[in-house]
Amino acid sequence: MFLPKYPDSPTPPPAHTHTAADQAPARRPVPQISVSTGAVAAVLVGGVVLTALLAAVAVTAASVAVAVVVLRSLLRDQHRR
């Protein structure tokens, strides 16, 4: 009742075809990438400019924070009088 039923003429498993060992594997051509000195200079200048802008933002934030602390202490002293 629970036994599997096999076909009358089973089909053989597919045979693997092996390639010859002396054949080299096919390689895709690698795209040529040429980097000019102008591109390198542009990336370096862009990095310097972005670094300078970030430094300017950091200095501005620090100076605004100092100004806020000074103004806050001045206003607190004025309210106490």
Side-chain angles (χ1 to χ4, degrees):
M1 181 174 167
F2 293 109
L3 294 176
K5 295 186 179 184
Y6 297 107
D8 292 334
S9 60
T11 58
H16 289 302
T17 57
H18 295 285
T19 58
D22 59 345
Q23 290 180 355
R27 292 188 177 189
R28 296 189 321 200
V30 178
Q32 295 293 327
I33 299 174
S34 61
V35 178
S36 65
T37 55
V40 172
V43 168
L44 288 176
V45 168
V48 169
V49 168
L50 287 177
T51 304
L53 287 173
L54 286 174
V57 168
V59 168
T60 303
S63 64
V64 167
V66 169
V68 165
V69 169
V70 169
L71 287 174
R72 188 174 166 191
S73 67
L74 288 175
L75 288 176
R76 187 183 319 149
D77 287 343
Q78 195 173 26
H79 284 291
R80 288 184 182 175
R81 291 182 185 179

